[in-house]
Amino acid sequence: MEKLRNHESQYARSLIEASHDPLVTINTDGKIMDMNQAMTKITGKLREDLIGTDFIDYFTNTQKAKKIYKKVFEKGFVVDYPLTIKDHTLTDVLFNGSVYKDENGNVLGAVVVARDITEQKRIKKELVEAKIFAELATEIAEGARKKAEKATEIAENAVKAKQQFLSNMSHEIRTPMNAIIGFTKVLLKTEMSEKQREYLDAIKMSGDSLIVLINDILDLAKVDAGKMVFEQIPFKMTSSISAMLHLFETKIQEKNLILIKEYDDNIPDVIVGDPVRLHQIIINLVSNAVKFTNVGKITVSVKLKSETEEKITVEFSVTDTGIGIKKNKINKIFENFQQASSGTSRLYGGTGLGLAIVKHLVEPQGGSILVKSEINKGSTFSFTLDFLKTNAQPEKETELLQVNNLNNSFRILVVEDIPLNQLLMKTLLDEFGFEGDIAENGKIAIEMLKLNSYDIILMDLQMPVLNGFETTEYIRNKMHSKIPIIALTADVTTVDLAKCNEVGMNDYIAKPVDERLLYSKIVSLVINPSNALNKNEIKETTKKTFKYTHLDSLIRRTKSNPKLMMEMISMYLEQTPLLIAALKRGFHKKDCELLYSSAHKLIPSFSIMGISIDYENMAKKVQDFARTQKQNEGIEAIVVQLENVCTQACLELEKEFNVLKNKK
Ligand code: ADP
């Protein structure tokens, strides 16, 4: 029996000691009865010292400890009850325990095991810390993101501000510049000494290059801001290119160069692309060719390179016989502000921006630009662009109208706020022989439109009170008028041309205004109903009294000099009746010499007085007949007609003469 008990006791001890966690048995009074070595180790006390002491004394929070042993005896067990042992490291533990009973079911005591959760806590703590760090890191990252966003916003605002500044400044500079150039052009047409003309030419040239520079800078700013947009509109390429090359006529003549246009007829008449940008590219290349060539020719060639069902690929090239470019400079010239040699600016002017812009205009459209050049032989700049095929009609006619034989009494409303521009427009319209009224802003224009009838409106875009877009919208939607409207824009490259179209404008023209282009656009919109929106209205407003003579060509020839004009008119009035009489006499008397000489002398007067070329051709027919005496059918009728025309012309010119005399 003794042996058995001993054996049981051994067994119980080994069970107790099997636990590496502190284990104690307590009696119902909470006194420690027994424990394992882990318990003596953690408390640092001897077994004898622990036995009989209060369980709760070994914990930091004695109240909580009391609860656990009470709970154990009340409920019979306890699960994961947290306590901290009062050892030197203050070990955190979780208590699990249950009561033990005698054979009659009486509770003798409880066994409680404390699980050391220091490691668990450490991991938890680390996890919490990691979480906090992660949160902190996210916060920092978020802060950094916000800062970056702010910085981007600031940078973007700075770019926007720069854009805005450039745009405002260029507008501010352009307005007076346009006036300077415009009035210089007007002045250049008047009588002056050679020296004065030379000085004025210099003013105009400087003005022109300033405008080019302003436009270039604005374009580059737009490229920088990624705001270069390309349109896709139907246009007639051949007329578009002819109109553009016309701009160089004077310069080319001045330099005694020859301009050759090679245009591939296989290119469809109307194609879809961006005519404004195409102009810009070719203008840049041709103006360089003209600038850097002193003898020889400039060839602008437009060839169909390939074609599919939907699109065509066109190769454009501008070849000159000019100074050429050194091999080692060829790649540099497409960079901003780069010129082939340091003397270029001094000798030829320019800023080195043109080709950089050309590159930025060609490449985003999927094209590429190439240059071949040989020093003193010449250069070829070529580029290819794709255009879509279309059945649509072009949006606007880019051809320049023949100026000579047109009716010249249109009534035009100019909507423009800047007095200088008003005066300039008025001067130009007067020169064309048109009647021009001025409205300072859109609101006044609308009032004037209600009171008077006009053939066409020239509309500035930026104006106080009611701007050009708003005014056009009002005219189209509220007044339901379809009167042709041409936008006057200071900046054809940035202006929202789509918006002009959208609000119902028929066309636009860039300042400084090219007079011939303006004249051509006005006339084409007023007299050609297909170019205007409302055909009926236009027809009605263009019913003018017919005139044989048109003074525009005389104005040009005399450079608006009234004295000279009067002299020429009076010469015509003096000579024409005599010539007509001689013509008649020659015909009737079959005096071929007289007939020939009178017809011959009459011929130049038709174009000078703006009389239709048809009558000039009639006079030529008479002259031919007098020379060859062949085919006399119809000559008599022609002579009669010429007499009628010239008599009418004399009557009209007499009136014009009196008007000029009264103006003096
Ligand atoms: P800019 O003409 O204002 O100087 P560009 O960018 O148009 O600027 O041209 C850059 C340079 O390339 C010119 O300064 C000139 O040295 C050279 N270059 C351009 N076109 C020609 C050309 N057709 N012939 C000779 N050199 C040219």
Side-chain angles (χ1 to χ4, degrees), residues 122-180:
R122 188 184 61 78
I123 292 169
K124 197 173 161 199
K125 193 167 154 231
E126 273 178 12
L127 275 177
V128 169
E129 276 172 4
K131 197 166 155 243
I132 290 169
F133 272 126
E135 276 168 3
L136 205 69
T138 317
E139 220 169 83
I140 291 167
E142 184 66 10
R145 194 180 61 81
K146 278 195 182 138
K147 262 191 196 162
E149 263 175 16
K150 187 98 193 135
T152 316
E153 199 187 314
I154 291 169
E156 274 171 3
N157 284 343
V159 171
K160 268 190 211 148
K162 182 178 134 196
Q163 270 275 110
Q164 196 58 46
F165 173 75
L166 279 174
S167 164
N168 290 349
M169 269 315 280
S170 59
H171 186 70
E172 295 299 315
I173 298 171
R174 243 194 296 225
T175 307
M177 257 343 279
N178 285 337
I180 292 172

Side-chain angles (χ1 to χ4, degrees), residues 284-285 288-289 291-292 320 323-325 333 335 338-341 344 349-356 379 381:
N284 261 306
L285 296 182
N288 274 349
K291 186 160 70 170
F292 295 108
D320 63 53
I323 61 167
I325 306 158
I333 56 172
E335 291 169 18
Q338 286 297 328
Q339 299 188 309
S341 82
T344 306
T351 49
L353 284 177
L355 289 178
S379 320
F381 285 81

